[in-house]
Amino acid sequence: MGISKTENYTFEQLELSKLAKVLGHPARIAILEFLIQKQKCICGDIVDELPLAQPTVSQHLKEMKAVGLIKGNIEGNSICYCIDEKVLQMLLNYIQNISEKLEIKNKCC
Amino acid sequence: MGISKTENYTFEQLELSKLAKVLGHPARIAILEFLIQKQKCICGDIVDELPLAQPTVSQHLKEMKAVGLIKGNIEGNSICYCIDEKVLQMLLNYIQNISEKLEIKNKCC
DNA sequence: TTAATTTATTGCAATATTGCGATAAAGATT
DNA sequence: AATCTTTATCGCAATATTGCAATAAATTAA
């Protein structure tokens, strides 16, 4: 994050920006959409689907998991990934809130 | 975006990731929230509010404008910035759509 | 016209992200 | 045990982002 520090922002601002940042790459959007479609899948399924190598997909999944967007459960020697609705709901609520505020009183120049 | 190219993803995936990326920095979340609260403001107001120098704020505003999140109208020697609801609505619709799909059939592991 | 105000741009250093080959780790299969 | 399958981690190069001082550009005010 360069020179400016986390202490300059609220917890909510930091959480939201972290979540948005994770969605800020087309590969991770594609992974999200694949997970919606399949409900759950393993890393290898995504590697077959996307034009990315296995370590790259693994890294993207790690970042998505770190912000709580997906869960991963060990099933045998593979890991079953799926979307965790909670964080997505938080993002939805936030944007909905902004939209409502704008509808009421957006006086744009 | 490194080695992988834009042609590997759909237009929608690229648009959405660009929008999310812009929200993926706490300073830009703070700018967004400030704009909601004030309805409209000039660059200098944000500089006074945030712990960032004027060129940095100007750069953040430029990025937010590039994805259509905000509009800027020249008013005398200053520029009046405000939120453009259209793009925000697109983001809202997208996340709402995902949430609905998950509610129906999320069978997580 | 000169100075003040306001925003944008340039150029640079520091840091972060992206992608992947090589390899490790760990359970499953034979 | 040896091998296969699957995912994670390491290390590196290439690229992108962030922040800001200095400066430019453009309008307003005196």
Side-chain angles (χ1 to χ4, degrees):
Chain A
M1 191 154 67
I3 293 161
S4 88
K5 301 285 170 27
T6 60
E7 65 240 32
N8 290 319
Y9 303 100
T10 68
F11 177 76
E12 283 75 20
Q13 286 169 341
L14 290 168
E15 283 299 297
L16 190 66
S17 63
K18 271 189 263 181
L19 180 56
K21 191 173 191 175
V22 160
L23 294 177
H25 191 290
R28 292 190 289 260
I29 293 286
I31 290 172
L32 186 73
E33 291 179 351
F34 187 71
L35 271 171
I36 293 161
Q37 192 199 320
K38 298 285 177 187
Q39 298 182 51
K40 58 185 182 179
C41 70
I42 63 172
C43 178
D45 295 338
I46 301 168
V47 174
D48 293 342
E49 184 75 8
L50 298 188
L52 294 170
Q54 181 271 320
T56 308
V57 171
S58 183
Q59 182 62 27
H60 281 311
L61 287 170
K62 188 182 175 184
E63 282 164 44
M64 293 172 81
K65 202 175 161 195
V67 297
L69 197 59
I70 61 172
K71 292 185 283 191
N73 283 27
I74 298 167
E75 282 189 5
N77 66 342
S78 65
I79 295 173
C80 178
Y81 284 105
C82 61
I83 295 172
D84 190 343
E85 293 136 288
K86 289 194 305 293
V87 172
L88 212 59
Q89 193 61 44
M90 194 193 86
L91 182 60
L92 182 61
N93 289 344
Y94 182 84
I95 299 171
Q96 219 152 24
N97 196 260
I98 290 174
S99 293
E100 278 162 23
K101 279 184 185 160
L102 284 178
E103 269 175 40
I104 298 167
K105 56 159 200 176
N106 199 31
K107 288 188 188 107
C108 214
C109 38
Chain B
M1 191 154 66
I3 294 162
S4 88
K5 301 284 168 26
T6 60
E7 64 239 33
N8 290 319
Y9 303 99
T10 68
F11 177 76
E12 283 75 19
Q13 286 170 341
L14 290 167
E15 282 301 298
L16 190 65
S17 64
K18 270 191 264 182
L19 180 57
K21 192 174 189 173
V22 160
L23 294 177
H25 192 289
R28 293 190 289 261
I29 292 286
I31 290 172
L32 185 75
E33 291 179 351
F34 188 71
L35 271 171
I36 293 161
Q37 191 200 320
K38 299 286 178 186
Q39 297 181 52
K40 58 186 183 179
C41 70
I42 63 171
C43 178
D45 295 338
I46 301 170
V47 174
D48 293 341
E49 184 75 9
L50 298 187
L52 294 169
Q54 181 271 321
T56 308
V57 171
S58 183
Q59 182 62 27
H60 282 310
L61 287 170
K62 189 182 177 185
E63 283 164 45
M64 293 172 82
K65 201 175 162 195
V67 297
L69 197 60
I70 62 172
K71 293 185 285 190
N73 283 26
I74 297 167
E75 281 189 2
N77 67 343
S78 65
I79 295 173
C80 178
Y81 284 106
C82 60
I83 295 173
D84 189 343
E85 292 136 290
K86 289 195 305 292
V87 172
L88 212 60
Q89 193 61 43
M90 194 194 85
L91 182 61
L92 182 61
N93 289 344
Y94 182 83
I95 298 173
Q96 218 152 24
N97 197 259
I98 290 174
S99 293
E100 278 161 23
K101 280 184 184 159
L102 284 178
E103 269 176 39
I104 298 167
K105 57 161 195 175
N106 200 31
K107 289 190 188 108
C108 214
C109 37

